[in-house]
PDB file of all heavy atoms in Angstrom:
ATOM      1  N   CYS A 120      65.316  42.152  41.774  1.00  0.00           N
ATOM      2  CA  CYS A 120      66.187  41.244  42.467  1.00  0.00           C
ATOM      3  C   CYS A 120      65.914  39.822  41.950  1.00  0.00           C
ATOM      4  O   CYS A 120      64.874  39.551  41.189  1.00  0.00           O
ATOM      5  CB  CYS A 120      66.094  41.292  43.897  1.00  0.00           C
ATOM      6  SG  CYS A 120      64.404  40.571  44.601  1.00  0.00           S
ATOM      7  N   ALA A 121      66.622  38.796  42.560  1.00  0.00           N
ATOM      8  CA  ALA A 121      66.327  37.420  42.170  1.00  0.00           C
ATOM      9  C   ALA A 121      64.933  36.952  42.397  1.00  0.00           C
ATOM     10  O   ALA A 121      64.433  36.066  41.660  1.00  0.00           O
ATOM     11  CB  ALA A 121      67.401  36.550  42.735  1.00  0.00           C
ATOM     12  N   TYR A 122      64.371  37.470  43.488  1.00  0.00           N
ATOM     13  CA  TYR A 122      63.003  36.996  43.858  1.00  0.00           C
ATOM     14  C   TYR A 122      61.964  37.579  42.856  1.00  0.00           C
ATOM     15  O   TYR A 122      61.058  36.848  42.560  1.00  0.00           O
ATOM     16  CB  TYR A 122      62.771  37.344  45.261  1.00  0.00           C
ATOM     17  CG  TYR A 122      63.484  36.613  46.312  1.00  0.00           C
ATOM     18  CD1 TYR A 122      64.444  37.306  47.057  1.00  0.00           C
ATOM     19  CD2 TYR A 122      63.179  35.289  46.544  1.00  0.00           C
ATOM     20  CE1 TYR A 122      65.210  36.640  48.025  1.00  0.00           C
ATOM     21  CE2 TYR A 122      63.925  34.653  47.622  1.00  0.00           C
ATOM     22  CZ  TYR A 122      64.872  35.349  48.383  1.00  0.00           C
ATOM     23  OH  TYR A 122      65.688  34.612  49.261  1.00  0.00           O
ATOM     24  N   PHE A 123      62.249  38.740  42.415  1.00  0.00           N
ATOM     25  CA  PHE A 123      61.295  39.415  41.465  1.00  0.00           C
ATOM     26  C   PHE A 123      61.393  38.564  40.081  1.00  0.00           C
ATOM     27  O   PHE A 123      60.348  38.355  39.404  1.00  0.00           O
ATOM     28  CB  PHE A 123      61.744  40.826  41.170  1.00  0.00           C
ATOM     29  CG  PHE A 123      61.106  41.574  40.000  1.00  0.00           C
ATOM     30  CD1 PHE A 123      59.865  41.884  40.129  1.00  0.00           C
ATOM     31  CD2 PHE A 123      61.815  41.751  38.816  1.00  0.00           C
ATOM     32  CE1 PHE A 123      59.216  42.617  39.065  1.00  0.00           C
ATOM     33  CE2 PHE A 123      61.209  42.338  37.789  1.00  0.00           C
ATOM     34  CZ  PHE A 123      59.842  42.778  37.863  1.00  0.00           C
ATOM     35  N   PHE A 129      57.620  32.906  44.585  1.00  0.00           N
ATOM     36  CA  PHE A 129      58.316  33.783  45.546  1.00  0.00           C
ATOM     37  C   PHE A 129      57.468  34.960  45.786  1.00  0.00           C
ATOM     38  O   PHE A 129      57.144  35.773  44.693  1.00  0.00           O
ATOM     39  CB  PHE A 129      59.707  34.111  45.001  1.00  0.00           C
ATOM     40  CG  PHE A 129      60.669  32.998  44.879  1.00  0.00           C
ATOM     41  CD1 PHE A 129      61.065  32.561  43.649  1.00  0.00           C
ATOM     42  CD2 PHE A 129      61.217  32.388  46.102  1.00  0.00           C
ATOM     43  CE1 PHE A 129      61.915  31.402  43.589  1.00  0.00           C
ATOM     44  CE2 PHE A 129      62.080  31.403  45.925  1.00  0.00           C
ATOM     45  CZ  PHE A 129      62.430  30.843  44.660  1.00  0.00           C
ATOM     46  N   PRO A 130      56.979  35.272  46.890  1.00  0.00           N
ATOM     47  CA  PRO A 130      56.128  36.536  47.091  1.00  0.00           C
ATOM     48  C   PRO A 130      57.045  37.659  46.779  1.00  0.00           C
ATOM     49  O   PRO A 130      58.274  37.868  47.062  1.00  0.00           O
ATOM     50  CB  PRO A 130      55.903  36.539  48.623  1.00  0.00           C
ATOM     51  CG  PRO A 130      56.068  35.128  49.100  1.00  0.00           C
ATOM     52  CD  PRO A 130      57.060  34.544  48.168  1.00  0.00           C
ATOM     53  N   CYS A 131      56.440  38.696  45.972  1.00  0.00           N
ATOM     54  CA  CYS A 131      57.124  39.857  45.599  1.00  0.00           C
ATOM     55  C   CYS A 131      56.147  41.053  45.417  1.00  0.00           C
ATOM     56  O   CYS A 131      55.267  40.975  44.495  1.00  0.00           O
ATOM     57  CB  CYS A 131      57.899  39.612  44.283  1.00  0.00           C
ATOM     58  SG  CYS A 131      58.739  41.119  43.581  1.00  0.00           S
ATOM     59  N   ASN A 132      56.211  41.963  46.256  1.00  0.00           N
ATOM     60  CA  ASN A 132      55.238  43.074  46.170  1.00  0.00           C
ATOM     61  C   ASN A 132      55.391  43.947  44.813  1.00  0.00           C
ATOM     62  O   ASN A 132      54.500  44.546  44.439  1.00  0.00           O
ATOM     63  CB  ASN A 132      55.533  44.131  47.257  1.00  0.00           C
ATOM     64  CG  ASN A 132      54.991  43.476  48.607  1.00  0.00           C
ATOM     65  OD1 ASN A 132      53.850  42.814  48.674  1.00  0.00           O
ATOM     66  ND2 ASN A 132      55.792  43.650  49.677  1.00  0.00           N
ATOM     67  N   LYS A 133      56.594  43.913  44.240  1.00  0.00           N
ATOM     68  CA  LYS A 133      56.860  44.591  42.970  1.00  0.00           C
ATOM     69  C   LYS A 133      56.144  43.884  41.824  1.00  0.00           C
ATOM     70  O   LYS A 133      55.598  44.459  40.979  1.00  0.00           O
ATOM     71  CB  LYS A 133      58.322  44.713  42.696  1.00  0.00           C
ATOM     72  CG  LYS A 133      58.733  45.495  41.561  1.00  0.00           C
ATOM     73  CD  LYS A 133      60.222  45.522  41.312  1.00  0.00           C
ATOM     74  CE  LYS A 133      60.883  46.352  42.409  1.00  0.00           C
ATOM     75  NZ  LYS A 133      60.617  47.810  42.258  1.00  0.00           N
ATOM     76  N   SER A 138      51.595  40.798  48.026  1.00  0.00           N
ATOM     77  CA  SER A 138      51.854  39.417  48.234  1.00  0.00           C
ATOM     78  C   SER A 138      53.001  39.141  49.223  1.00  0.00           C
ATOM     79  O   SER A 138      53.186  38.038  49.869  1.00  0.00           O
ATOM     80  CB  SER A 138      52.385  38.682  47.006  1.00  0.00           C
ATOM     81  OG  SER A 138      53.450  39.235  46.392  1.00  0.00           O
ATOM     82  N   GLY A 139      53.815  40.217  49.603  1.00  0.00           N
ATOM     83  CA  GLY A 139      54.879  40.219  50.521  1.00  0.00           C
ATOM     84  C   GLY A 139      56.221  40.337  49.773  1.00  0.00           C
ATOM     85  O   GLY A 139      56.327  40.446  48.549  1.00  0.00           O
ATOM     86  N   CYS A 140      57.276  40.303  50.619  1.00  0.00           N
ATOM     87  CA  CYS A 140      58.649  40.379  50.026  1.00  0.00           C
ATOM     88  C   CYS A 140      59.465  39.284  50.520  1.00  0.00           C
ATOM     89  O   CYS A 140      59.847  39.107  51.728  1.00  0.00           O
ATOM     90  CB  CYS A 140      59.206  41.690  50.464  1.00  0.00           C
ATOM     91  SG  CYS A 140      60.999  41.991  49.949  1.00  0.00           S
ATOM     92  N   ALA A 141      59.718  38.317  49.633  1.00  0.00           N
ATOM     93  CA  ALA A 141      60.550  37.121  49.996  1.00  0.00           C
ATOM     94  C   ALA A 141      61.973  37.500  50.418  1.00  0.00           C
ATOM     95  O   ALA A 141      62.663  36.680  51.143  1.00  0.00           O
ATOM     96  CB  ALA A 141      60.662  36.136  48.826  1.00  0.00           C
ATOM     97  N   ALA A 142      62.460  38.586  50.012  1.00  0.00           N
ATOM     98  CA  ALA A 142      63.867  38.967  50.319  1.00  0.00           C
ATOM     99  C   ALA A 142      64.037  39.370  51.784  1.00  0.00           C
ATOM    100  O   ALA A 142      65.152  39.184  52.320  1.00  0.00           O
ATOM    101  CB  ALA A 142      64.343  40.037  49.376  1.00  0.00           C
ATOM    102  N   ILE A 143      62.995  39.923  52.363  1.00  0.00           N
ATOM    103  CA  ILE A 143      63.021  40.356  53.796  1.00  0.00           C
ATOM    104  C   ILE A 143      62.947  39.026  54.635  1.00  0.00           C
ATOM    105  O   ILE A 143      61.962  38.400  54.615  1.00  0.00           O
ATOM    106  CB  ILE A 143      61.859  41.257  54.098  1.00  0.00           C
ATOM    107  CG1 ILE A 143      62.094  42.588  53.360  1.00  0.00           C
ATOM    108  CG2 ILE A 143      61.957  41.614  55.649  1.00  0.00           C
ATOM    109  CD1 ILE A 143      60.954  43.569  53.579  1.00  0.00           C
ATOM    110  N   GLY A 144      64.072  38.776  55.306  1.00  0.00           N
ATOM    111  CA  GLY A 144      64.146  37.529  56.012  1.00  0.00           C
ATOM    112  C   GLY A 144      64.674  36.397  55.178  1.00  0.00           C
ATOM    113  O   GLY A 144      64.818  35.177  55.628  1.00  0.00           O
ATOM    114  N   GLY A 145      64.914  36.523  53.867  1.00  0.00           N
ATOM    115  CA  GLY A 145      65.462  35.559  52.991  1.00  0.00           C
ATOM    116  C   GLY A 145      66.792  35.779  52.680  1.00  0.00           C
ATOM    117  O   GLY A 145      67.585  36.303  53.428  1.00  0.00           O
ATOM    118  N   HIS A 146      67.267  35.411  51.553  1.00  0.00           N
ATOM    119  CA  HIS A 146      68.663  35.541  51.094  1.00  0.00           C
ATOM    120  C   HIS A 146      68.835  36.866  50.646  1.00  0.00           C
ATOM    121  O   HIS A 146      68.680  37.175  49.379  1.00  0.00           O
ATOM    122  CB  HIS A 146      69.055  34.398  50.135  1.00  0.00           C
ATOM    123  CG  HIS A 146      70.504  34.310  49.959  1.00  0.00           C
ATOM    124  ND1 HIS A 146      71.381  33.799  50.818  1.00  0.00           N
ATOM    125  CD2 HIS A 146      71.320  34.725  48.881  1.00  0.00           C
ATOM    126  CE1 HIS A 146      72.624  33.839  50.425  1.00  0.00           C
ATOM    127  NE2 HIS A 146      72.620  34.397  49.260  1.00  0.00           N
ATOM    128  N   ASP A 147      69.304  37.801  51.384  1.00  0.00           N
ATOM    129  CA  ASP A 147      69.349  39.269  51.078  1.00  0.00           C
ATOM    130  C   ASP A 147      70.811  39.790  50.858  1.00  0.00           C
ATOM    131  O   ASP A 147      71.055  40.953  50.988  1.00  0.00           O
ATOM    132  CB  ASP A 147      68.761  40.102  52.251  1.00  0.00           C
ATOM    133  CG  ASP A 147      69.333  39.895  53.588  1.00  0.00           C
ATOM    134  OD1 ASP A 147      70.495  39.247  53.630  1.00  0.00           O
ATOM    135  OD2 ASP A 147      68.846  40.457  54.571  1.00  0.00           O
ATOM    136  N   ARG A 148      71.719  38.834  50.572  1.00  0.00           N
ATOM    137  CA  ARG A 148      73.100  39.307  50.387  1.00  0.00           C
ATOM    138  C   ARG A 148      73.277  40.366  49.349  1.00  0.00           C
ATOM    139  O   ARG A 148      74.138  41.320  49.542  1.00  0.00           O
ATOM    140  CB  ARG A 148      73.924  38.014  49.798  1.00  0.00           C
ATOM    141  CG  ARG A 148      75.308  38.331  49.536  1.00  0.00           C
ATOM    142  CD  ARG A 148      76.070  37.041  49.104  1.00  0.00           C
ATOM    143  NE  ARG A 148      77.444  37.275  48.968  1.00  0.00           N
ATOM    144  CZ  ARG A 148      78.182  37.661  47.769  1.00  0.00           C
ATOM    145  NH1 ARG A 148      77.360  37.866  46.825  1.00  0.00           N
ATOM    146  NH2 ARG A 148      79.313  37.836  47.770  1.00  0.00           N
ATOM    147  N   ALA A 149      72.413  40.464  48.311  1.00  0.00           N
ATOM    148  CA  ALA A 149      72.679  41.445  47.252  1.00  0.00           C
ATOM    149  C   ALA A 149      71.601  42.649  47.378  1.00  0.00           C
ATOM    150  O   ALA A 149      71.510  43.449  46.466  1.00  0.00           O
ATOM    151  CB  ALA A 149      72.521  40.861  45.888  1.00  0.00           C
ATOM    152  N   HIS A 150      70.949  42.727  48.414  1.00  0.00           N
ATOM    153  CA  HIS A 150      69.765  43.600  48.564  1.00  0.00           C
ATOM    154  C   HIS A 150      70.233  44.932  49.201  1.00  0.00           C
ATOM    155  O   HIS A 150      71.365  45.071  49.714  1.00  0.00           O
ATOM    156  CB  HIS A 150      68.624  43.003  49.317  1.00  0.00           C
ATOM    157  CG  HIS A 150      67.954  41.895  48.472  1.00  0.00           C
ATOM    158  ND1 HIS A 150      68.451  40.731  48.123  1.00  0.00           N
ATOM    159  CD2 HIS A 150      66.665  41.991  47.953  1.00  0.00           C
ATOM    160  CE1 HIS A 150      67.630  40.112  47.381  1.00  0.00           C
ATOM    161  NE2 HIS A 150      66.593  40.850  47.186  1.00  0.00           N
ATOM    162  N   ALA A 151      69.335  45.837  49.270  1.00  0.00           N
ATOM    163  CA  ALA A 151      69.680  47.221  49.609  1.00  0.00           C
ATOM    164  C   ALA A 151      70.009  47.402  51.105  1.00  0.00           C
ATOM    165  O   ALA A 151      69.284  46.926  51.975  1.00  0.00           O
ATOM    166  CB  ALA A 151      68.526  48.198  49.160  1.00  0.00           C
ATOM    167  N   GLY A 154      67.482  52.975  51.798  1.00  0.00           N
ATOM    168  CA  GLY A 154      66.252  53.351  51.109  1.00  0.00           C
ATOM    169  C   GLY A 154      65.306  52.310  50.992  1.00  0.00           C
ATOM    170  O   GLY A 154      64.274  52.451  50.314  1.00  0.00           O
ATOM    171  N   GLY A 155      65.413  51.142  51.764  1.00  0.00           N
ATOM    172  CA  GLY A 155      64.345  50.064  51.691  1.00  0.00           C
ATOM    173  C   GLY A 155      63.295  50.326  52.543  1.00  0.00           C
ATOM    174  O   GLY A 155      63.162  51.349  53.223  1.00  0.00           O
ATOM    175  N   SER A 156      62.237  49.523  52.391  1.00  0.00           N
ATOM    176  CA  SER A 156      60.935  49.611  53.109  1.00  0.00           C
ATOM    177  C   SER A 156      60.514  48.245  53.576  1.00  0.00           C
ATOM    178  O   SER A 156      61.180  47.259  53.177  1.00  0.00           O
ATOM    179  CB  SER A 156      59.913  50.346  52.325  1.00  0.00           C
ATOM    180  OG  SER A 156      59.359  49.523  51.298  1.00  0.00           O
ATOM    181  N   GLU A 157      59.442  48.259  54.406  1.00  0.00           N
ATOM    182  CA  GLU A 157      58.859  46.872  54.754  1.00  0.00           C
ATOM    183  C   GLU A 157      58.242  46.117  53.407  1.00  0.00           C
ATOM    184  O   GLU A 157      57.921  45.001  53.564  1.00  0.00           O
ATOM    185  CB  GLU A 157      57.806  47.159  55.859  1.00  0.00           C
ATOM    186  CG  GLU A 157      58.351  47.644  57.039  1.00  0.00           C
ATOM    187  CD  GLU A 157      59.445  46.817  57.652  1.00  0.00           C
ATOM    188  OE1 GLU A 157      59.167  45.591  57.745  1.00  0.00           O
ATOM    189  OE2 GLU A 157      60.498  47.355  58.114  1.00  0.00           O
ATOM    190  N   SER A 158      58.221  46.865  52.407  1.00  0.00           N
ATOM    191  CA  SER A 158      57.507  46.275  51.103  1.00  0.00           C
ATOM    192  C   SER A 158      58.597  45.806  50.122  1.00  0.00           C
ATOM    193  O   SER A 158      58.275  44.873  49.349  1.00  0.00           O
ATOM    194  CB  SER A 158      56.606  47.271  50.518  1.00  0.00           C
ATOM    195  OG  SER A 158      55.530  47.545  51.352  1.00  0.00           O
ATOM    196  N   CYS A 159      59.784  46.260  50.208  1.00  0.00           N
ATOM    197  CA  CYS A 159      60.764  45.961  49.228  1.00  0.00           C
ATOM    198  C   CYS A 159      62.147  46.439  49.563  1.00  0.00           C
ATOM    199  O   CYS A 159      62.332  47.618  50.058  1.00  0.00           O
ATOM    200  CB  CYS A 159      60.351  46.655  47.831  1.00  0.00           C
ATOM    201  SG  CYS A 159      61.520  46.210  46.421  1.00  0.00           S
ATOM    202  N   ILE A 160      63.162  45.568  49.278  1.00  0.00           N
ATOM    203  CA  ILE A 160      64.584  45.928  49.516  1.00  0.00           C
ATOM    204  C   ILE A 160      65.393  45.730  48.304  1.00  0.00           C
ATOM    205  O   ILE A 160      66.563  45.542  48.355  1.00  0.00           O
ATOM    206  CB  ILE A 160      65.149  45.275  50.793  1.00  0.00           C
ATOM    207  CG1 ILE A 160      64.991  43.826  50.695  1.00  0.00           C
ATOM    208  CG2 ILE A 160      64.484  45.773  51.962  1.00  0.00           C
ATOM    209  CD1 ILE A 160      65.724  42.924  51.830  1.00  0.00           C
ATOM    210  N   ALA A 161      64.755  45.643  47.069  1.00  0.00           N
ATOM    211  CA  ALA A 161      65.490  45.383  45.908  1.00  0.00           C
ATOM    212  C   ALA A 161      66.500  46.585  45.617  1.00  0.00           C
ATOM    213  O   ALA A 161      66.097  47.791  45.852  1.00  0.00           O
ATOM    214  CB  ALA A 161      64.570  45.252  44.583  1.00  0.00           C
ATOM    215  N   THR A 162      67.604  46.272  45.090  1.00  0.00           N
ATOM    216  CA  THR A 162      68.632  47.329  44.749  1.00  0.00           C
ATOM    217  C   THR A 162      68.523  47.930  43.301  1.00  0.00           C
ATOM    218  O   THR A 162      68.357  47.098  42.532  1.00  0.00           O
ATOM    219  CB  THR A 162      70.003  46.676  44.996  1.00  0.00           C
ATOM    220  OG1 THR A 162      70.129  46.136  46.219  1.00  0.00           O
ATOM    221  CG2 THR A 162      71.164  47.757  44.709  1.00  0.00           C
ATOM    222  N   PRO A 198      60.918  52.700  47.301  1.00  0.00           N
ATOM    223  CA  PRO A 198      59.764  51.847  47.224  1.00  0.00           C
ATOM    224  C   PRO A 198      58.496  52.214  48.160  1.00  0.00           C
ATOM    225  O   PRO A 198      57.424  52.062  47.658  1.00  0.00           O
ATOM    226  CB  PRO A 198      60.190  50.470  47.531  1.00  0.00           C
ATOM    227  CG  PRO A 198      61.464  50.631  48.283  1.00  0.00           C
ATOM    228  CD  PRO A 198      62.076  51.892  47.885  1.00  0.00           C
ATOM    229  N   GLY A 199      58.874  52.581  49.353  1.00  0.00           N
ATOM    230  CA  GLY A 199      57.681  52.990  50.328  1.00  0.00           C
ATOM    231  C   GLY A 199      56.672  51.889  50.290  1.00  0.00           C
ATOM    232  O   GLY A 199      57.108  50.664  50.502  1.00  0.00           O
ATOM    233  N   ASP A 200      55.360  52.205  50.329  1.00  0.00           N
ATOM    234  CA  ASP A 200      54.410  51.185  50.349  1.00  0.00           C
ATOM    235  C   ASP A 200      53.964  50.611  48.948  1.00  0.00           C
ATOM    236  O   ASP A 200      53.163  49.716  48.817  1.00  0.00           O
ATOM    237  CB  ASP A 200      53.150  51.729  51.000  1.00  0.00           C
ATOM    238  CG  ASP A 200      53.382  52.040  52.449  1.00  0.00           C
ATOM    239  OD1 ASP A 200      54.213  51.355  53.039  1.00  0.00           O
ATOM    240  OD2 ASP A 200      52.844  53.028  52.975  1.00  0.00           O
ATOM    241  N   PRO A 202      56.070  49.432  45.799  1.00  0.00           N
ATOM    242  CA  PRO A 202      57.280  49.032  45.069  1.00  0.00           C
ATOM    243  C   PRO A 202      57.102  49.075  43.516  1.00  0.00           C
ATOM    244  O   PRO A 202      58.070  49.069  42.799  1.00  0.00           O
ATOM    245  CB  PRO A 202      57.752  47.747  45.471  1.00  0.00           C
ATOM    246  CG  PRO A 202      57.067  47.552  46.860  1.00  0.00           C
ATOM    247  CD  PRO A 202      55.673  48.280  46.686  1.00  0.00           C
ATOM    248  N   THR A 269      67.876  51.459  47.028  1.00  0.00           N
ATOM    249  CA  THR A 269      66.812  51.140  46.178  1.00  0.00           C
ATOM    250  C   THR A 269      66.674  52.214  45.068  1.00  0.00           C
ATOM    251  O   THR A 269      65.836  52.006  44.267  1.00  0.00           O
ATOM    252  CB  THR A 269      65.429  51.176  47.112  1.00  0.00           C
ATOM    253  OG1 THR A 269      65.383  52.491  47.813  1.00  0.00           O
ATOM    254  CG2 THR A 269      65.449  50.000  48.202  1.00  0.00           C
ATOM    255  N   ARG A 303      71.035  49.958  56.801  1.00  0.00           N
ATOM    256  CA  ARG A 303      70.190  49.032  57.562  1.00  0.00           C
ATOM    257  C   ARG A 303      70.436  47.695  56.974  1.00  0.00           C
ATOM    258  O   ARG A 303      69.634  47.149  56.255  1.00  0.00           O
ATOM    259  CB  ARG A 303      68.776  49.340  57.571  1.00  0.00           C
ATOM    260  CG  ARG A 303      68.472  50.847  58.129  1.00  0.00           C
ATOM    261  CD  ARG A 303      66.958  51.145  57.808  1.00  0.00           C
ATOM    262  NE  ARG A 303      66.074  50.127  58.183  1.00  0.00           N
ATOM    263  CZ  ARG A 303      64.702  50.092  57.711  1.00  0.00           C
ATOM    264  NH1 ARG A 303      64.285  51.099  56.888  1.00  0.00           N
ATOM    265  NH2 ARG A 303      63.932  49.116  58.084  1.00  0.00           N
ATOM    266  N   PRO A 304      71.560  47.027  57.461  1.00  0.00           N
ATOM    267  CA  PRO A 304      71.762  45.692  56.926  1.00  0.00           C
ATOM    268  C   PRO A 304      70.690  44.605  57.397  1.00  0.00           C
ATOM    269  O   PRO A 304      70.109  44.724  58.434  1.00  0.00           O
ATOM    270  CB  PRO A 304      73.189  45.350  57.531  1.00  0.00           C
ATOM    271  CG  PRO A 304      73.332  46.166  58.661  1.00  0.00           C
ATOM    272  CD  PRO A 304      72.505  47.496  58.412  1.00  0.00           C
ATOM    273  N   GLY A 305      70.500  43.565  56.622  1.00  0.00           N
ATOM    274  CA  GLY A 305      69.700  42.488  56.940  1.00  0.00           C
ATOM    275  C   GLY A 305      70.429  41.302  57.474  1.00  0.00           C
ATOM    276  O   GLY A 305      71.329  41.460  58.235  1.00  0.00           O
ATOM    277  N   THR A 306      70.106  40.124  56.988  1.00  0.00           N
ATOM    278  CA  THR A 306      70.708  38.913  57.505  1.00  0.00           C
ATOM    279  C   THR A 306      72.072  38.622  56.908  1.00  0.00           C
ATOM    280  O   THR A 306      73.030  38.324  57.676  1.00  0.00           O
ATOM    281  CB  THR A 306      69.740  37.686  57.298  1.00  0.00           C
ATOM    282  OG1 THR A 306      68.448  38.065  57.758  1.00  0.00           O
ATOM    283  CG2 THR A 306      70.358  36.385  57.869  1.00  0.00           C
ATOM    284  N   TYR A 307      72.247  38.752  55.717  1.00  0.00           N
ATOM    285  CA  TYR A 307      73.486  38.325  54.928  1.00  0.00           C
ATOM    286  C   TYR A 307      74.253  39.517  54.326  1.00  0.00           C
ATOM    287  O   TYR A 307      75.309  39.137  53.758  1.00  0.00           O
ATOM    288  CB  TYR A 307      73.182  37.352  53.928  1.00  0.00           C
ATOM    289  CG  TYR A 307      72.387  36.054  54.493  1.00  0.00           C
ATOM    290  CD1 TYR A 307      71.122  35.821  54.255  1.00  0.00           C
ATOM    291  CD2 TYR A 307      73.128  35.034  55.157  1.00  0.00           C
ATOM    292  CE1 TYR A 307      70.480  34.672  54.747  1.00  0.00           C
ATOM    293  CE2 TYR A 307      72.621  33.989  55.700  1.00  0.00           C
ATOM    294  CZ  TYR A 307      71.197  33.783  55.506  1.00  0.00           C
ATOM    295  OH  TYR A 307      70.600  32.577  55.965  1.00  0.00           O
ATOM    296  N   ASN A 308      73.696  40.694  54.216  1.00  0.00           N
ATOM    297  CA  ASN A 308      74.420  41.733  53.569  1.00  0.00           C
ATOM    298  C   ASN A 308      75.182  42.676  54.383  1.00  0.00           C
ATOM    299  O   ASN A 308      75.665  43.650  53.883  1.00  0.00           O
ATOM    300  CB  ASN A 308      73.472  42.499  52.764  1.00  0.00           C
ATOM    301  CG  ASN A 308      72.288  43.203  53.423  1.00  0.00           C
ATOM    302  OD1 ASN A 308      72.319  43.082  54.682  1.00  0.00           O
ATOM    303  ND2 ASN A 308      71.435  43.909  52.794  1.00  0.00           N
TER     304      ASN A 308
END
Side-chain angles (χ1 to χ4, degrees):
C120 74
Y122 290 110
F123 171 74
F129 297 106
C131 175
N132 290 316
K133 185 181 292 291
S138 63
C140 176
I143 297 176
H146 192 72
D147 60 4
R148 179 179 182 272
H150 287 73
S156 72
E157 295 303 313
S158 297
C159 183
I160 55 172
T162 304
D200 295 329
T269 55
R303 295 170 53 194
T306 305
Y307 300 105
N308 61 357

